[in-house]
Amino acid sequence: MANKFVSMRNLKFTLHEVVGTDAPATGTSANGHTRKSMDMVLDAAFDFAKKALHPIFEEMDRNPPELVDGTVAVHRDVRAILETLGKDGWISATFPQKWGGEDMPASLLHAVYFIFASANYSASVYSGLTMGAANLILTFGSDELRNQFLPPMLEGKWQGTMALTEPEAGSSLGDLTTSATPMSDGTYRIKGEKIFISAGDHDAVDNVVHLMLARMDGAPAGVKGISLFAVPKLRQNRDGELTSNDVTVTQVFHKMGYRGAPITALALGDRDDCTGYLVGEPNRGLSYMFQMMNGARLEVGMGATAIATAAYHAALDYAKNRKQGRRITDGPGGAPVPIIEHQDVKRMLLFQRAISEGALCLILQCSRYEERMHTGPEEERADHKLLLELLTPVAKTFPSELGIHSTSASIQCFGGYGYCEDFPVEQHFRDMRIHAIHEGTTGIQGMDLLGRKVMMKNGKALQLLDREMEATMEQAKACPELLDHVQALSDAKKALATTTMGLGSVAMEKGPEAFLANATVYLELFGYVAVAWQWLAQMTVASQKLSEQKIRTSDRLFYQGKLAVGRYYFTHELPKTGPLSVTLTRPPVSLETETACFTD
Amino acid sequence: MANKFVSMRNLKFTLHEVVGTDAPATGTSANGHTRKSMDMVLDAAFDFAKKALHPIFEEMDRNPPELVDGTVAVHRDVRAILETLGKDGWISATFPQKWGGEDMPASLLHAVYFIFASANYSASVYSGLTMGAANLILTFGSDELRNQFLPPMLEGKWQGTMALTEPEAGSSLGDLTTSATPMSDGTYRIKGEKIFISAGDHDAVDNVVHLMLARMDGAPAGVKGISLFAVPKLRQNRDGELTSNDVTVTQVFHKMGYRGAPITALALGDRDDCTGYLVGEPNRGLSYMFQMMNGARLEVGMGATAIATAAYHAALDYAKNRKQGRRITDGPGGAPVPIIEHQDVKRMLLFQRAISEGALCLILQCSRYEERMHTGPEEERADHKLLLELLTPVAKTFPSELGIHSTSASIQCFGGYGYCEDFPVEQHFRDMRIHAIHEGTTGIQGMDLLGRKVMMKNGKALQLLDREMEATMEQAKACPELLDHVQALSDAKKALATTTMGLGSVAMEKGPEAFLANATVYLELFGYVAVAWQWLAQMTVASQKLSEQKIRTSDRLFYQGKLAVGRYYFTHELPKTGPLSVTLTRPPVSLETETACFTD
C-alpha cells in the first residue's frame, strides 16, 4: 500500500496562502487560533490519520459490516478511534466551549476532515455524522435534549445519524410516511421504515441517536408536514437506565465501496414502543435538516476530493518507481524509465491534481464563506451566506463526478495492477462512486443550483460570485504569464452568464420542466468555471512567490508544479465549458422524447 | 436481477439495416448465409445466453476463481458451457469447414459475441480466447500443430490463451525475457514468467494451450527478437498420454470486476521441463500476435459495449417501474410517476443508448470491413483492411472509456440502490473498468492511432474514412431533418482533419514526443467523430423507414427513438470535439512540466 495519502504542503498552501484566514500568523487572536496553532491542529490530525486510520483502510473494505444478532458488527478498531476522537476533542471541536469545544473555524474543520478522509474515507464518516447530528440538537433542540444527548455524542460514545430516506421517499422526501403520534408526556410514538441510514447501527458505540424526519398525525401533506425528531436506539427509562427503544436493524446493505461504514435499513416501532423527541417546532423539520444538509454536502464534496487525492498519491508513487518502456526520443537500446517520464502518464497525473487540488481549493473557499457568515463584518454576512449557498451544490458535485474520472485515471496509471486488489486505487474508485448519490444526487444538486440558488434574490448570489471572480482576476493581472488565463476565465464567466440568461428566458417561455431539463449539464458547466476561478487564485499566489528573490528549491518546484497543473486545467479542462454552453442553448432532447420510444 | 440484457431488435437493425451484409434476405448464398439464417443464429445465441450465461452473471462475480492445489477452480457451470459451445459449433464457427466450422462472417460472429457478453461478460471470454488462440495456430502453425491442438480447442475441451505480459514487460513488450532454447527434436525449452494471463488455468477444461511470446536464445533485442510458441499446460508424451509440461500457476489475481474469469500468473520451466512448439517462423511472433490482437481489440470494444448495453437495460427497467416524485409541472398533490418521466433520468437513459448503440454500430461496421477484406471485390480489399486497421483502436477505446461513464449513469438511475449489490449495475460498472486496460491500454491505442494508423501509407486510411463518411452524409442529405447533423459531422470532420495536419507539423518541427504527448486526447476526439458518423447512418435509416407509408406502431416507436437518441448524440456529445481540437492545437502541458515538479 502507498504510504502517502495527502500532501500537507498543498493543504497548508491552500488554506493559508490562497483561501486565507482571520487568524494572525502567530500571537493571539479572538478565538485563540493562529496560523501556527492551526498547523499544529493539522499536524495532529495527520498524525492520528496516519497511525489510526490509514493502516486499516484496506482491512475495513475487505471485512465489511455484518448484521449479527440484531447488531451491526464493524471493524474492531472503530470503537477506539471514536473514543480517541471524542477524548481529544475532535468531535466537539466546532462546538462552543460550554460543550467542551473550541469554536474551531469551519475551514480548519474541513481541512481536518479532508486529512481523515484521505487516510480512510469509511473510517472518517462515523464522527462526521455524529457532529452533524449533534449540531442539529445544539441548534434546534431543547436544553433537556442537549443535556441528554450531546455529552455522550461529543465524547464519541454515542453515534449520531441523519435518518431521512424511506423505501418510497429518497430524492422525493415530501412523500415520507414515517409517523409520529403525540403522547401525553410530550414525546412521540414513532412508526415507520428508514433505509440507507449511514452508521444507522453498530457495535462500536453504546447508543445511536437518529435525527429523523417523520410526519406528525394530521400534518399537512408534502414537505410542509415534516418534523424533526431525535430517536435513540436505546432510551433512558425513569431510573436512567438505557432500554430498547424498538428500533430494529432490518438490513445492512452490501455496497460496491465505502464498505467500512455500515448503511442500514431500520424498522421503527414494530412493537409500538419507539419514542421520539421533537427537535424544534413541528413541521419545520426539512428546513432544519437542510441547515445540516448544506454542511453535509460540502463534506461529501470534501470526501470525494480526499479519495481522489489519496488515489493520486498512490498513482504518483507508482509512476515514480515503476520502470517500463523508454522515452520515445530514446532508441530501443535505452534503459527503461520510470513511467512518469511517459507523456501520457504525466498528463494523467496532471489531470488528477487539477481535479483534486482545484476541488480542495473550492471547498475551502466555501468553508471560508461559512466562517465569515459568523465572524465577518456584520454587513457582509448575508452575502457570504448567499455565496456559500450558491456554491454548495457545485462544491459537492464537481469532485463527486470528476472524482470518478480522476480515480479512473489513477487506476490507468497502474495498468493491469490498478484493477487488482494488490494496490489501493481500485478501492478508491469504488469508494468514490457513492458521492454523486448520497446527500442528494447530482440531479438534485443541479435542480437546487439552477432552480433555487441561481434564482434566489433575483440572482444576487450570482452577482456576488461574479464580483469575487473579478477580484481574483484583478489580482492575477499583475502576473503577465497569467493574462491568457484571466481572459479565458473572463470568457467562460461571460458564457456562463449568457447561458444563465438564456435559460431564464426558457423558464418564462416554456415553463419549469424545459428550464430544468438539462440542470445537470448546467451544474457541470458551473463547476468547471468555479474551479477555473480557484485555479487562477492558486496560480496567482504561485506566480507571486516565484517572483520573490529568495526561494528554497523545494518551494520553487512546488510553485512551478502549481503553475503547470493550472496550465493543464486551463488547456484541457476549462475549454470543456464551450460545448456545455452550446448544448444548453438547444431545446432539451429529453423533453422532446416520448417515453414510449424507449421500447427496447 | 433485470431480465432483459440486450435488445435483439436493435442488434438486427444495426446488422441488417445499417451496416448491411452480403447475404441475401432469403434463398442461398455463397457461404450458405442468408439474413434469415443469420437471424436464426442470433436467436439461438440469445437463447443460449439467456438460459446458460445470464442466470449465473452474479454468482460468478460473488464466487471468483480460487487457486486450489495448483489448479484454478472456476464456477461449476463453465465446463458445461464450454462443452455446449464446442458441441454446437460456436467456437469453430468462423473456421473452415475442414475444422468443423462454417465460415461465419465476422459481423455475425461479433454480433453473437455481443449477445454472450451482454448476458455475462466473464462467461463469454473463455471461448473467445480459445477462438483467438486457435486462429493463430490455424493461420501460422504447422499441420502437426493444427492436428494436435485444434480439435480439442474447437470442441471446448482445451482452453486457449494469449500469453504476452511479463512482470517487467506489459505495454513495453519488447522487454520480455521469457526464453526459448532449441532442443534436438525441433521443440523449444521455455523458461520465464507470464502475468495477467486471462483464463491462464482452470478446472473446466482438460488442458490449456498458451500462445506465448518468448525470445529464442541469441535473438535480436527488442520487438524484432520475439517468436510465437504454443505452450500447453499438459503435453502429449510418446504414448499420446497427457503429462505435466512444467507450467505452474503462481497466482490468481483478485480483481475489482470481471471476476468470473481467472487472470493468472504463470511460471514456466521451473523444473527445466517446459516444452514449447514454434508457431510460424522465428522472430516474427509479435507480428503474428498482432493479427490476433486486432481482432481481440475489437472484441474488447464489443465486450465494453455489451456491458454498457446490459447496464442500460437494467436502468431502463428500473426507471420504467420505480415510481418516485412528480413531474415538475404537476403540483405536490399529483401522483408519483415512474422516474423515467423525470427529464434528468430520461437524459441519462438517452446518454447510455447514445454510447452503447453508437459503439455497437461502429464495431459492426469494423467487422464488416473485416469481412470485406476477405469477400469483397479484389481491388477493394486493401482499402477495407486499411479502414479496419485505422478504426480498430477507436472501436476498442470509445466504448471502453465512455462505457465507464455510461455504466456510471446506469448506477445513477438507480440512486442509492445502484451502489448496492441488490441490483446488477454496480457489477457492470466494475466489469467495465478492465476494458481501457486489457489488450493495450488507452494510451497505447492513442499512440497506435496517431503514430501509426493515421500516418500509414501517407494518410491513405484517413482519406478512405473521409470517403466513407462523405457517402453516409450524402445519403443523409435526402432527409431534411438530418441536414443540421450532416453539417455538424462535416464541421467535426474538418476540424479533425485540421487537427491532424497541425499535429503532423508538430511531428516535423518538434519531434515525436511532442507529436504524441496528447495522443490519448486525439483518440478521444476521433472516437466522437467516428461515432457521430455511425449515428448519422442509423438516423438516415430510421428517417427513411418513418417516411414509409405502412409502418407498425412498434417500428414507428423504435425509429422515433433512434432519431431521438441520435439527436441527443449530436446535441450533447459531438460538441465535445470542439475543446479537444482546441487542446490539441496548444503545446502539450505534460511535455513542459518537469517531473521534479511532482514534489507532493
Side-chain angles (χ1 to χ4, degrees), chain B residues 163-387:
Chain B
L164 290 75
T165 304
E166 298 180 3
E168 302 304 324
S171 293
S172 168
L173 277 175
D175 289 327
L176 67 81
T177 60
T178 294
S179 64
T181 305
M183 308 303 290
S184 56
D185 63 354
T187 67
Y188 291 78
R189 183 146 296 167
I190 306 292
K191 199 168 178 70
E193 280 178 78
K194 292 284 173 184
I195 59 167
F196 294 143
I197 308 308
S198 283
D201 185 79
H202 61 89
D203 62 355
V205 286
D206 301 329
N207 199 3
V208 181
V209 184
H210 304 286
L211 274 288
M212 187 176 293
L213 296 181
R215 196 178 288 286
M216 281 186 189
D217 295 354
V223 295
K224 289 176 183 164
I226 297 174
S227 301
L228 179 64
F229 297 87
V231 181
K233 174 187 181 180
L234 306 174
R235 67 172 186 256
Q236 278 181 322
N237 65 15
R238 287 175 194 168
D239 305 328
E241 282 170 3
L242 291 173
T243 59
S244 165
N245 191 34
D246 195 10
V247 175
T248 316
V249 184
T250 54
Q251 188 181 353
V252 173
F253 290 95
H254 297 278
K255 313 183 297 296
M256 174 168 64
Y258 178 28
R259 297 172 66 153
I263 309 282
T264 58
L266 304 173
L268 310 155
D270 271 0
R271 302 189 312 271
D272 289 323
D273 189 27
C274 177
T275 299
Y277 307 93
L278 182 66
V279 178
E281 292 172 30
N283 298 333
R284 298 200 50 196
L286 207 61
S287 70
Y288 296 159
M289 192 58 98
F290 266 82
Q291 299 197 32
M292 180 158 100
M293 186 73 90
N294 279 325
R297 287 179 173 174
L298 270 195
E299 241 175 52
V300 168
M302 195 57 116
T305 304
I307 293 169
T309 300
Y312 160 71
H313 284 292
L316 177 63
D317 178 67
Y318 188 77
K320 283 183 167 178
N321 291 297
R322 167 74 170 169
K323 286 185 182 171
Q324 197 179 166
R326 285 142 202 86
R327 286 187 71 154
I328 291 173
T329 41
D330 294 348
V337 295
I339 60 171
I340 194 173
E341 297 296 336
H342 300 308
Q343 299 310 313
D344 195 51
V345 174
K346 209 184 268 180
R347 185 188 57 78
M348 292 191 283
L349 293 169
L350 286 166
F351 169 66
Q352 293 165 61
R353 284 184 65 176
I355 299 307
S356 60
E357 295 177 11
L360 176 66
C361 202
L362 179 64
I363 298 169
L364 289 179
Q365 182 62 52
C366 286
S367 60
R368 181 79 181 126
Y369 291 135
E370 188 181 342
E371 237 164 84
R372 292 171 66 83
M373 253 168 64
H374 303 297
T375 63
E378 199 73 49
E379 67 279 11
E380 293 176 8
R381 293 186 180 187
D383 289 355
H384 289 130
K385 184 163 184 291
L386 280 176
L387 281 163

Side-chain angles (χ1 to χ4, degrees), chain B residues 55 71 90 108 110 125 128 138 143-144 181 191 266 278 283 299 305 351 395 416 443 450 464 490 495 513 522 524 552:
Chain B
T71 301
W90 295 104
L108 183 57
H110 282 285
V125 299
L138 176 74
D143 278 338
E144 199 183 336
T181 305
K191 199 168 178 70
L266 304 173
L278 182 66
N283 298 333
E299 241 175 52
T305 304
F351 169 66
L450 182 58
L464 291 169
S490 174
E513 199 163 46
Y522 181 81
E524 191 181 352
R552 283 184 306 179

Side-chain angles (χ1 to χ4, degrees), chain A residues 74-92:
Chain A
V74 295
H75 191 283
R76 63 185 175 284
D77 286 6
V78 175
R79 182 173 286 271
I81 288 168
L82 290 177
E83 278 174 3
T84 303
L85 290 173
K87 187 163 52 67
D88 293 352
W90 295 104
I91 302 177
S92 62

